[in-house]
Amino acid sequence: MMRTLAIKTALCAGLALLGLSGCKSTGPQYYYGEYNTAVYSYFKADKLTLEEQISILQKVVEQAAAKGKPVAPGVHAHLGMLYFETGNTAQGNQHFIQEKTLFPESARYIDFLMNQGKDA
């Protein structure tokens, strides 16, 4: 009887440990940094200049690389749009291509944006 109780106790403890080990939470898949701030500033257009917004997003890209995390979807696309607005089409195209490379599902939209930039 004692032996059966010990086995049941050990089995319950093992199952409890196994169950708790599955509860480990993971962080976000992508690194966002101050991306939300930059997007908000872009649409409000009253607090940060385009150059300041570019600086914020460049830091997001650098911090993501430093942390070994992929940059969030849309960061390179947003950087591309900002560069186009400042007249730097080469940098804009570079970031659009980077967005398409990292997130192939965005290719149609990025192609649309790139074509808009050529028409401007």
Side-chain angles (χ1 to χ4, degrees):
M1 183 89 167
M2 235 7 207
R3 186 177 171 121
T4 307
L5 183 60
I7 292 173
K8 286 182 180 179
T9 303
L11 183 60
C12 287
L15 287 175
L17 285 174
L18 183 63
L20 290 175
S21 68
C23 294
K24 179 184 176 201
S25 65
T26 58
Q29 181 177 359
Y30 299 106
Y31 182 77
Y32 287 87
E34 294 295 317
Y35 179 48
N36 291 336
T37 302
V39 172
Y40 180 77
S41 295
Y42 178 78
F43 288 112
K44 284 292 281 177
D46 64 350
K47 291 194 177 185
L48 297 175
T49 66
L50 293 175
E51 289 77 14
E52 290 170 324
Q53 293 174 53
I54 288 171
S55 177
I56 289 171
L57 292 179
Q58 288 288 25
K59 284 180 187 173
V60 168
V61 171
E62 292 166 8
Q63 291 169 344
K67 293 178 184 282
K69 293 200 115 195
V71 71
V75 171
H76 285 288
H78 195 91
L79 261 170
M81 289 190 331
L82 291 171
Y83 276 118
F84 270 105
E85 286 190 34
T86 61
N88 190 340
T89 57
Q91 282 287 95
N93 280 322
Q94 182 181 357
H95 283 285
F96 280 168
I97 290 167
Q98 183 69 16
E99 183 76 19
K100 284 176 26 173
T101 301
L102 294 173
F103 307 102
E105 64 275 12
S106 69
R108 287 182 129 176
Y109 181 62
I110 298 301
D111 289 340
F112 168 77
L113 292 175
M114 290 174 83
N115 288 331
Q116 295 294 102
K118 289 177 186 174
D119 295 339

